[in-house]
Amino acid sequence: MKHPISYLYNTVFIPKKSLQICIVGGGFGGLFTALYLSNYTRLIKSLRLRIILIDQKEYFLFTPLLYELLTQEVESCEITPTFENLFANTAVEFCHDTVEVVDLDQRQIKLRSHKQITYDHLVLAVGQQTRLDAIFGVTDYAYAFRSLADAERLMQKLESLETDSEKYIQVAVVGAGGNGVELACKLANRLQNRGQVYLIDRRQKILRDFSFACQKAAHRALIACGVKLDLGTQIKNITANQITLSKNQQTYTLAVDLIIWTIGTQNWEWLDNLNCQQNPQKKLLVRPTLQLLDYPEVFAVGDIAAILHPDKQKVPATAQAALQQARTAASNLRASLTGKPLKVFCYHHLGEMMTLGINAGIVFCCGICLEGAIAYTIRRWACVLRLPTFSHRLRVCRHLFNSALRKLWVI
Ligand SMILES: Cc1cc2nc3c(=O)[nH]c(=O)nc-3n(C[C@H](O)[C@H](O)[C@H](O)COP(=O)(O)OP(=O)(O)OC[C@H]3O[C@@H](n4cnc5c(N)ncnc54)[C@H](O)[C@@H]3O)c2cc1C
């Protein structure tokens, strides 16, 4: 029999108590799932939904513009809007805490503050961390570049090296993926003739997951910035001021002042105890609808999810993919709450954009490749448009406009 109240509310059943959706992690996957969900105002009211987002940080980090901090092309407030501001005037509640345990069977989350939260639906979106234990010395001496804290630590180190005006600063960036290439160009631009940046990778090719056009353009940009490429080179070990390398069966050392490690990711330790199926890389296995295999009320999105797609579609660990998953997760949560069929997630590759130094970049989309200042400007504005909320976008636009005016004033 239909619930009597459902007739009053156009077939939506009103539960006695409110339903709780918890989202763990406020990065690209988690934050955008929350924002998409908050648009379903009728559903939130009729089902008395509580949407709670838990994050260990108080702000969202827009990682694609993290490199620009090193060259002062952006200020940290532009890329780290607080959750408090982002969720103002929305139905999303923010809980500033660190999740330590999730009991999938009891539907319970245990927080570092010893609080416990129960949920009806859960979205796991905690991303991954840089793996620093692959080679001897990395944990002790290398710098990671993934969080705002990493960027600030790196800037402090650079500033302390730069105080000695006589010093020639040698920097090794390990890993020639997107992260390593963008970082190497920015660092080379920052140091100019005050130092040398080396980009080291065991493969012969840079940017192996990118298009050929991007690889070629990035190669040209690295050379133009003065970065020395050390490809096909194995790293043996790392000490405070030295990196031991091996190439063509010859071992040699490189004296360096700073080593930045950009390769390898791993899960947060607490996810190892999660009672669900994981792939060999420890990513959480999800159905094409983004639900955990044995827990349909739990969704996983972003870098931690491995989708068991029937056509084996490869989904990259990028912000672009996490954003698309967030849209599907929100829509599927609504579908499961209203008894409608769930959608299958399908990744659409929209193109590639990179920053390759100050005022230089590459945009590759629909077979068209743009380079240099024009690509840099397009990327910058694409990033502004992709910032999470309209009010934050407006704030950043105002900031960009004011700094452009200040520059004109100086000229
Ligand atoms: C420097 C850099 C540049 C990048 N540039 C690009 C780019 O140009 N384009 C692109 O597509 N991708 C880019 N990426 C990749 C992109 O940032 C990631 O793929 C994307 O952020 C993944 O989203 P996510 O939601 O899975 O995780 P994240 O965005 O990493 O978010 C995870 C969130 O979970 C929180 N969290 C973790 N553990 C806990 C816990 N125990 N309790 C509470 N909260 C927790 C974290 O604080 C964080 O806010 C870049 C990455 C980096 C590091």
Side-chain angles (χ1 to χ4, degrees):
M1 199 184 81
K2 221 169 186 177
H3 192 281
I5 308 173
S6 65
Y7 294 106
L8 294 173
Y9 289 89
N10 200 11
T11 74
V12 174
F13 164 68
I14 299 201
K16 284 195 201 77
K17 67 173 188 71
S18 62
L19 280 176
Q20 200 137 292
I21 299 179
C22 286
I23 300 170
V24 182
F28 279 93
L31 170 69
F32 281 87
T33 304
L35 292 174
Y36 286 130
L37 277 174
S38 73
N39 290 333
Y40 304 144
T41 40
R42 255 188 83 203
L43 187 79
I44 291 169
K45 269 200 192 131
S46 56
L47 290 185
R48 296 172 59 206
L49 282 185
R50 272 191 82 189
I51 305 165
I52 302 168
L53 185 138
I54 308 164
D55 200 292
Q56 60 196 2
K57 300 187 274 91
E58 283 180 284
Y59 55 83
F60 162 72
L61 175 64
F62 192 86
T63 48
L65 290 178
L66 193 61
Y67 313 102
E68 275 83 347
L69 278 183
L70 302 177
T71 40
Q72 289 165 357
E73 291 163 274
V74 298
E75 287 180 28
S76 62
C77 61
E78 292 177 53
I79 58 165
T80 56
T82 62
F83 290 118
E84 193 190 335
N85 279 338
L86 293 173
F87 296 144
N89 308 319
T90 72
V92 184
E93 296 166 45
F94 174 57
C95 170
H96 181 210
D97 215 320
T98 301
V99 170
E100 294 201 323
V101 179
V102 173
D103 186 333
L104 294 172
D105 298 305
Q106 299 298 320
R107 297 192 184 183
Q108 210 166 57
I109 300 169
K110 291 186 183 137
L111 304 173
R112 184 160 296 164
S113 63
H114 303 295
K115 279 189 210 136
Q116 296 196 2
I117 300 183
T118 50
Y119 61 83
D120 298 289
H121 288 271
L122 174 69
V123 180
L124 291 169
V126 289
Q128 291 203 303
Q129 53 181 337
T130 307
R131 187 172 168 203
L132 292 175
D133 63 353
I135 283 171
F136 187 78
V138 177
T139 318
D140 294 329
Y141 305 113
Y143 284 63
F145 193 76
R146 182 163 275 271
S147 63
L148 180 64
D150 291 338
E152 285 173 346
R153 189 172 157 241
L154 180 58
M155 283 194 290
Q156 269 173 16
K157 176 72 180 172
L158 284 166
E159 277 158 23
S160 82
L161 290 167
E162 285 160 348
T163 47
D164 179 355
S165 58
E166 299 293 302
K167 185 160 182 60
Y168 191 71
I169 304 161
Q170 304 248 82
V171 180
V173 177
V174 181
N179 208 199
V181 168
E182 292 184 278
L183 203 47
C185 288
K186 286 285 186 220
L187 287 168
N189 276 186
R190 177 178 167 137
L191 293 175
Q192 303 220 337
N193 54 5
R194 293 230 30 212
Q196 177 63 57
V197 177
Y198 297 87
L199 183 63
I200 304 166
D201 200 294
R202 70 187 160 93
R203 294 197 172 81
Q204 291 290 354
K205 234 190 207 174
I206 61 165
L207 299 177
R208 76 183 168 118
D209 295 328
F210 285 69
S211 60
F212 184 57
C214 249
Q215 290 171 354
K216 271 201 327 198
H219 197 276
R220 277 195 295 272
L222 285 163
I223 303 298
C225 292
V227 174
K228 276 198 181 150
L229 290 172
D230 239 330
L231 301 177
T233 307
Q234 293 272 1
I235 293 158
K236 292 285 174 197
N237 71 56
I238 283 171
T239 60
N241 298 105
Q242 187 170 289
I243 181 161
T244 307
L245 303 162
S246 153
K247 188 174 186 171
N248 302 331
Q249 284 152 359
Q250 284 195 337
T251 302
Y252 58 101
T253 57
L254 190 68
V256 284
D257 302 291
L258 176 60
I259 301 161
I260 306 161
W261 195 263
T262 70
I263 42 177
T265 50
Q266 65 182 27
N267 257 0
W268 302 99
E269 292 75 19
W270 63 271
L271 285 171
D272 292 347
N273 301 324
L274 207 62
N275 183 23
C276 67
Q277 298 185 55
Q278 304 186 1
N279 75 1
Q281 290 76 43
K282 302 269 181 188
K283 290 198 179 204
L284 311 185
L285 289 174
V286 292
R287 302 175 196 183
T289 50
L290 305 178
Q291 295 160 293
L292 290 191
L293 298 188
D294 301 317
Y295 299 90
E297 72 284 5
V298 183
F299 291 76
V301 294
D303 289 1
I304 54 157
I307 304 167
L308 289 175
H309 226 283
D311 56 12
K312 298 205 166 50
Q313 189 193 34
K314 205 173 166 235
V315 181
T318 60
Q320 199 185 131
L323 274 165
Q324 294 179 23
Q325 288 170 33
R327 190 188 290 271
T328 304
S331 155
N332 280 349
L333 271 161
R334 176 174 62 174
S336 42
L337 289 165
T338 51
K340 302 232 167 78
L342 274 63
K343 278 189 207 156
V344 163
F345 173 74
C346 196
Y347 172 66
H348 299 286
H349 189 63
L350 302 174
E352 291 153 6
M353 289 196 293
M354 295 181 83
T355 176
L356 297 168
I358 298 172
N359 217 14
I362 177 165
V363 173
F364 180 71
C365 183
C366 309
I368 299 166
C369 186
L370 297 172
E371 287 178 52
I374 176 108
Y376 176 87
T377 310
I378 292 172
R379 176 183 178 272
R380 189 80 162 87
W381 282 102
C383 285
V384 171
L385 291 176
R386 203 52 280 184
L387 289 168
T389 58
F390 179 72
S391 62
H392 184 62
R393 258 171 257 153
L394 206 61
R395 215 169 299 147
V396 171
C397 283
R398 223 179 287 140
H399 187 85
L400 285 174
F401 186 67
N402 286 342
S403 53
L405 275 185
R406 270 199 302 275
K407 271 185 203 155
L408 275 178
W409 192 250
V410 170
I411 289 164

